[in-house]
């Protein structure tokens, strides 16, 4: 059951989340969102479920969630209606960190490009997919799971807000907070967003390994540029990387 009145009480946005579709259960909110696009005006529409049965992560990974405990939703963004579509994943990560801080006073961090990290373990992730003029931002956050709820495959590498805080959070309120922050962040200037992301990043100046098309590059992570590309220092030479798998 989705508690609309609680959600609406906390939603302060103008557009984001003002149109919301709830599914008791669905395989993936990103898949639902793709089938749901309205040609002219789906901007800001949200698809949410409390039981995602076949969630997808980046790089064809599975995304595990627990019924009624995990937050799993997708928001549809019209790329023509935002200023910096190339850094939408950066913007989304910032919005999540801010919302979690507001609801629970917990300081999460970001691992490039947009893993949400708490106590060196993953607490949330973002999968952005494109269709037509739209970008579908799928967000998964471990909220009220106990350690025993976490899937064996991810148990050691993952955590939840409840494991950290020992308290329960209403999924409807966290959803509203994220949408409020996301709408605000979409209006911020590029410089503010990049600096904010850097202030949340957990591996600035750390040694990292990058896997790019079967090649491994190792160097020092220096930051990101205004397009969201990684700035990496390899033997005093600067290299820019747009995508790949990173190990800290
Ligand atoms: C990742 O870190 O690999 C990204 C995980 C994204 C998971 C969310 S949950 C809601 C939306 N629906 C999906 O199938 N995936 C995203």
């Amino acid at each position: 059951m989705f508690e609309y009145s609680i959600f609406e009480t906390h939603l302060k946005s103008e557009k984001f989340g003002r149109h919301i579709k709830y599914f008791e259960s669905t395989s993936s909110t990103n898949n639902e969102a793709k089938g749901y696009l309205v040609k002219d005006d789906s901007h800001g529409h949200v698809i949410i479920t409390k039981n995602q049965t076949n969630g997808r992560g980046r790089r064809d990974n599975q995304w595990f969630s627990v019924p009624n405990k995990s937050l799993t939703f997708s928001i549809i963004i019209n790329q023509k209606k935002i200023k910096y579509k190339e850094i939408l994943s950066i913007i989304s990560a910032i919005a999540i960190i801010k919302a979690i801080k507001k609801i629970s006073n917990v300081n999460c961090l970001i691992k490039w490009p947009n893993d949400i990290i708490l106590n060196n373990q993953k607490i949330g992730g973002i999968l952005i997919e494109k269709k037509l003029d739209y970008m579908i931002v799928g967000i998964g956050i471990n909220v009220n799971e106990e350690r025993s709820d976490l899937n064996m495959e991810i148990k050691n590498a993952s955590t939840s807000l409840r494991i950290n805080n020992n308290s329960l959070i209403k999924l409807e309120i966290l959803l509203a907070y994220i949408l409020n922050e996301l709408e605000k962040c979409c209006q911020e200037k590029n410089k503010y967003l990049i600096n904010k992301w850097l202030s949340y990043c957990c591996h600035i100046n750390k040694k990292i390994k990058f896997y790019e098309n079967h090649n491994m590059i190792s160097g020092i992570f220096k930051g990101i540029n205004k397009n969201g590309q990684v700035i990496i220092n390899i033997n005093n030479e600067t290299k820019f990387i747009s995508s790949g798998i990173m190990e800290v």
Side-chain angles (χ1 to χ4, degrees):
M1 192 182 69
F2 187 77
E3 298 187 63
Y4 287 95
S5 60
I6 294 183
F7 171 67
E8 276 157 20
T9 305
H10 291 87
L11 190 68
K12 305 289 175 215
S13 62
E14 191 188 309
K15 189 96 180 132
F16 287 13
R18 291 290 161 192
H19 194 295
I20 183 159
K21 178 101 183 113
Y22 171 68
F23 291 87
E24 282 292 334
S25 170
T26 187
S27 59
S28 156
T29 56
N30 267 34
N31 294 355
E32 288 291 354
K34 281 186 201 159
Y36 188 75
L37 298 175
V38 184
K39 200 162 182 303
D40 292 330
D41 198 18
S42 298
H43 184 59
H45 289 195
V46 168
I47 314 288
I48 177 161
T49 185
K50 286 199 180 172
N51 184 16
Q52 182 168 261
T53 53
N54 198 11
R56 294 183 291 107
R58 288 186 300 123
R59 308 192 176 282
D60 291 330
N61 286 327
Q62 236 185 309
W63 183 258
F64 299 104
S65 39
V66 180
N68 298 311
K69 295 187 175 179
S70 314
L71 181 62
T72 49
F73 72 97
S74 303
I75 173 162
I76 299 168
I77 307 272
N78 184 336
Q79 54 183 22
K80 289 187 176 151
K81 294 195 176 169
I82 56 168
K83 286 198 278 184
Y84 308 115
K85 64 174 195 283
E86 62 288 350
I87 54 163
L88 185 57
S89 72
I90 302 274
I91 294 173
S92 308
I94 297 169
I96 294 170
I97 302 273
K98 286 186 170 205
I100 291 177
K101 173 74 180 174
K102 277 202 177 150
I103 206 166
S104 63
N105 204 25
V106 166
N107 295 309
C108 290
L109 294 171
I110 305 175
K111 178 177 163 230
W112 188 85
N114 51 25
D115 283 352
I116 310 299
I117 305 291
L118 179 59
N119 302 329
N120 282 321
Q121 292 168 312
K122 185 155 165 172
I123 198 166
I126 303 166
L127 173 69
I128 301 189
E129 297 179 298
K130 291 183 190 158
K131 187 170 175 189
L132 307 171
D133 277 339
Y134 293 103
M135 297 170 90
I136 293 157
V137 182
I139 295 178
I141 300 177
N142 301 334
V143 183
N144 293 323
E145 298 85 344
E146 295 177 80
R147 188 145 289 287
S148 58
D149 288 323
L150 298 179
N151 187 286
M152 280 307 284
E153 272 182 46
I154 56 162
K155 224 182 192 73
N156 294 331
S158 305
T159 189
S160 75
L161 286 173
R162 181 172 179 189
I163 293 169
N164 183 75
N165 264 21
N166 220 0
S167 62
L168 291 171
I169 287 172
K170 276 255 174 232
L171 299 179
E172 287 82 353
I173 303 181
L174 180 55
L175 172 65
Y177 279 24
I178 293 173
L179 296 171
N180 295 341
E181 295 300 331
L182 188 58
E183 188 173 278
K184 275 197 266 169
C185 284
C186 281
Q187 287 150 15
E188 293 286 1
K189 294 214 162 70
N190 182 286
K191 195 169 179 182
Y192 167 89
L193 294 163
I194 299 296
N195 285 339
K196 207 70 198 160
W197 189 93
L198 294 174
S199 75
Y200 293 144
C201 175
C202 62
H203 48 78
I204 296 283
N205 287 326
K206 292 213 170 125
K207 200 163 176 211
I208 53 147
K209 282 185 194 152
F210 239 100
Y211 298 90
E212 201 191 22
N213 307 325
H214 303 294
N215 291 326
M216 197 271 275
I217 306 169
S218 114
I220 308 290
F221 188 98
K222 297 309 287 180
I224 53 171
N225 66 13
K226 68 179 186 354
N227 302 317
Q229 285 177 308
V230 170
I231 306 166
I232 175 168
N233 190 310
I234 307 162
N235 301 327
N236 288 331
E237 256 187 55
T238 303
K239 192 171 158 50
F240 299 94
I241 297 178
S242 306
S243 64
I245 301 175
M246 197 190 82
E247 248 177 48
V248 183

